[in-house]
Amino acid sequence: MRKAVIAGNWKMHMTCAEAQAFAEVFRPSVEDLPADREVVLAPPFTAIPTLSAALAGSGVRIAAQNVHWEDKGAYTGMVSAPMLLEHGVTHAIVGHSEPRKYYSETDEQINLRARAAQAAGLIPILCVGESLDQREASETERVIHRQVEQGLEGIDPERLIVAYEPIWAIGTGKTCAADEANRICGLIRGWVGFDGVIVQYGGSVNPATIDQLMAQPEIDGVLVGGASLDPQGFARIANYQPPA
Ligand code: PGA
């Protein structure tokens, strides 16, 4: 049985004071979660120490939103895995569509990031997904297959999460239909070639869509952007109701 992983990606939101206030509201609602799931939060780098301390002992894991492939060096603006480990970080998002788009991250660089994360003992959350143009041109499967193949070269699938995030569904309010998200997550699992790999769905997940998404057999969790900024809404997502 694969464990569900409910992850929140705060993107460039939340000061330390806001993260502290979030944790105070959020923490009580996730302290008695069923054992079938795990919650991960990815604050901006600056809020990691505050959030990590505020949620210590709650079972909530802390992720970084990216990680560099070198341990140290002349890479202005970057943060490495050893720096994250010092603050109790356990996961690192790599290959999110925003750095792919705004900073031209390539599959090769994303693979280096994922490898460095694993080598340091972090669990990479590799994001993959097609644009609207690619979907309309029937390129969805080819694009995601390439992202999985190149992103995961040399990666141990037992210490990995893959997030299927169709770009057209991110921040748009358009959730991918649950059965289609389920189909793509199943394809990804096949391409990874390990039945135990955790495959998440991400893209406009919210408290109203979570139960239906989590009822899909191939969807092992979600990566939530906007809806993870509200502690009560994200608590409802973490407390999703499994199908009866
Ligand atoms: P969203 O973002 O939930 O705001 O659509 C998802 C993501 O980018 O991971």
Side-chain angles (χ1 to χ4, degrees), residues 3 12 72 113 176:
K3 202 166 186 163
M12 198 172 71
K72 58 184 170 184
R113 294 180 194 282
C176 182

Side-chain angles (χ1 to χ4, degrees), residues 78-227:
M78 301 296 138
V79 171
S80 72
M83 297 170 183
L84 297 168
L85 289 172
E86 217 176 14
H87 293 287
V89 171
T90 52
H91 295 66
I93 297 173
V94 297
H96 190 278
S97 62
E98 287 150 15
R100 282 184 195 262
K101 177 177 161 193
Y102 298 130
Y103 318 125
S104 307
E105 285 200 5
T106 64
D107 285 315
E108 195 184 10
Q109 291 169 331
I110 290 159
N111 176 247
L112 289 174
R113 294 180 194 282
R115 284 180 188 230
Q118 266 199 350
L122 297 171
I123 296 178
I125 304 177
L126 173 75
C127 302
V128 298
E130 81 288 0
S131 66
L132 187 58
D133 285 352
Q134 288 164 337
R135 177 159 280 266
E136 286 174 348
S138 304
E139 288 175 2
T140 299
E141 294 172 20
R142 188 183 59 77
V143 167
I144 299 172
H145 189 194
R146 189 205 70 220
Q147 291 172 337
V148 168
E149 209 167 56
Q150 296 184 6
L152 295 185
E153 212 186 300
I155 291 292
D156 173 2
E158 296 199 35
R159 295 181 296 126
L160 168 73
I161 296 172
V162 182
Y164 168 51
E165 297 213 303
I167 295 168
W168 48 270
I170 295 179
T172 58
K174 289 187 205 158
T175 313
C176 182
D179 56 347
E180 173 61 2
N182 184 64
R183 185 182 77 84
I184 302 282
C185 289
L187 287 175
I188 290 171
R189 189 182 318 287
W191 291 326
V192 172
F194 172 58
D195 194 56
V197 69
I198 309 278
V199 185
Q200 296 175 318
Y201 166 77
S204 295
V205 175
N206 62 55
T209 55
I210 186 65
D211 294 343
Q212 201 195 359
L213 287 164
M214 291 308 295
Q216 305 297 317
E218 299 287 356
I219 299 180
D220 308 319
V222 285
L223 183 53
V224 185

